[in-house]
Amino acid sequence: MAVKETAKDALKIVMYLGSNRNPRACSRVAKFVQNALVKTNHEVTVFDPWELDLPVLKQAMMMVKDWSTLPERLVRANEALVASDAIVVVSGEYNHSIPPALSNLIDHFPLSSYAFKVSAIVCYSPGPYGGMRAAMQLRAMLGEIGTVSIPNIFGIPRVTGALSEEGEPLNDHMESGVGKLITQLDWYAKAIRDRKRENGTP
């Protein structure tokens, strides 16, 4: 696991949940990942499509001149995104692709809100592939919006046998996998954060 830091230096993480199905395995994965991040002294804000309940995108925030006309929950979420150091995406795959609720959620926010951050992908599936087909597409999408994903991807095959409904790990792969992901995410996120503090952004 990553080394704990003081509250002043703790990384601020926005965690996107990718599923809008009911029931959804995403909930158990999200609980596990969030617990692991909190234990390693990260500040976590969760963007859940169930809770944000945003409509199918008709106009992105960056196209709206008067943000007072936007839902307050969207404006507050964007403030959290801007203030964050990194993004963690927890997603399954729908038809071997990115879940529509996830792409809809990502697309609502301005590209400037994602700029100069890194992201990490946690993917899962009920079968043996661990959601990797969606992860490959997510990596391209995250790069295009300005938050490049770290090299490590944490894939969880046969997710219902890997985590309980409460997000408790049921095999050794879970603890070691999330530990590697967080260690690598921290390295990249801190490097970018410290560089921005010293020199700003181009």
Side-chain angles (χ1 to χ4, degrees):
M1 286 287 193
V3 177
K4 287 190 176 183
E5 297 190 2
T6 64
K8 179 181 178 181
D9 291 325
L11 290 172
K12 295 179 180 178
I13 308 294
V14 167
M15 187 169 73
Y16 280 77
L17 307 192
S19 176
N20 217 17
R21 284 176 174 166
N22 185 18
R24 57 179 184 172
C26 188
S27 296
R28 65 181 72 195
V29 181
K31 290 174 186 176
F32 172 72
V33 175
Q34 184 174 5
N35 288 339
L37 287 166
V38 170
K39 286 177 182 177
T40 48
N41 204 37
H42 298 77
E43 297 179 20
V44 183
T45 300
V46 178
F47 283 12
D48 186 342
W50 271 8
E51 295 179 1
L52 287 172
D53 194 25
L54 298 174
V56 174
L57 183 65
K58 293 181 179 178
Q59 192 174 35
M61 291 182 75
M62 59 188 173
M63 304 301 292
V64 178
K65 292 183 179 180
D66 183 4
W67 281 18
S68 68
T69 64
L70 295 171
E72 183 178 356
R73 65 188 184 282
L74 180 60
V75 176
R76 295 289 173 265
N78 185 66
E79 291 172 355
L81 180 59
V82 171
S84 69
D85 298 301
I87 296 163
V88 174
V89 178
V90 176
S91 181
E93 58 180 32
Y94 290 11
N95 295 326
H96 305 165
S97 187
I98 299 170
L102 176 57
S103 58
N104 184 62
L105 181 54
I106 289 172
D107 286 344
H108 267 83
F109 301 101
L111 294 179
S112 59
S113 300
Y114 293 106
F116 302 102
K117 304 181 195 298
V118 294
S119 56
I121 299 170
V122 180
C123 54
Y124 62 89
S125 73
Y129 301 112
M132 284 295 173
R133 289 166 291 200
M136 293 300 98
Q137 296 167 56
L138 273 169
R139 174 165 277 174
M141 183 180 190
L142 291 168
E144 286 299 321
I145 64 174
T147 173
V148 180
S149 69
I150 60 173
N152 183 274
I153 294 176
F154 181 29
I156 307 172
R158 299 181 175 86
V159 63
T160 55
L163 290 166
S164 72
E165 291 186 8
E166 292 73 35
E168 294 298 324
L170 301 177
N171 61 53
D172 294 339
H173 168 68
M174 299 307 300
E175 293 286 2
S176 62
V178 77
K180 290 176 183 177
L181 184 90
I182 292 174
T183 297
Q184 195 172 96
L185 176 67
D186 282 4
W187 192 94
Y188 281 90
K190 289 171 187 174
I192 292 177
R193 181 194 64 186
D194 294 346
R195 182 68 173 172
K196 286 193 292 187
R197 287 176 176 175
E198 294 172 2
N199 300 94
T201 57

